[in-house]
Amino acid sequence: MRYRYIISTSAAGRDGDIALNVTIQAESGSGCILKIAGLSTRDPWLDFPQPESADKYLKLRPRHVASLIKHALANGWSAQQAGAPFHLDANECAFMPECE
């Protein structure tokens, strides 16, 4: 099955962290939407002049989205069945080993 997704951001908090909001749906456009919260990143410029710290912030790539989809499916998300959005509270690297 193919999926489509969008990643949006929320305003930076007082600590400079930016919340990432991920919404995933079956490519057909029908079925239950997956909404993922709990991911955050940071603008590396906020840590200037210490550029080495930029490496520790999450850069969400397609392989990460694939991991999120697999995790959601294993936890009860049914992408093909209509219904209310399925919410997943992600812990940034709990199931994405390539983030470590």
Side-chain angles (χ1 to χ4, degrees):
M1 171 178 282
R2 294 175 56 104
Y3 300 92
R4 59 184 176 190
Y5 64 94
I6 187 165
I7 302 168
S8 61
T9 59
S10 298
R14 290 181 185 236
D15 59 359
D17 287 351
I18 301 166
L20 297 175
N21 309 302
V22 183
T23 304
I24 303 171
Q25 184 178 34
E27 189 178 52
S28 66
S30 60
C32 182
I33 293 173
L34 171 60
K35 292 191 169 225
I36 300 168
L39 297 170
S40 65
T41 192
R42 188 173 169 85
D43 184 344
W45 285 103
L46 294 174
D47 296 322
F48 187 80
Q50 299 164 338
E52 67 276 1
S53 64
D55 292 337
K56 69 179 180 180
Y57 300 116
L58 177 66
K59 297 165 190 78
L60 203 56
R61 307 238 195 289
R63 70 176 181 263
H64 299 128
V65 175
S67 292
L68 290 165
I69 290 170
K70 289 176 187 174
H71 183 74
L73 289 168
N75 284 280
W77 178 47
S78 180
Q80 295 179 321
Q81 291 183 341
F86 186 87
H87 293 272
L88 182 65
D89 186 13
N91 180 344
E92 289 180 307
C93 293
F95 49 90
M96 295 190 297
E98 56 271 6
C99 286
E100 296 177 13

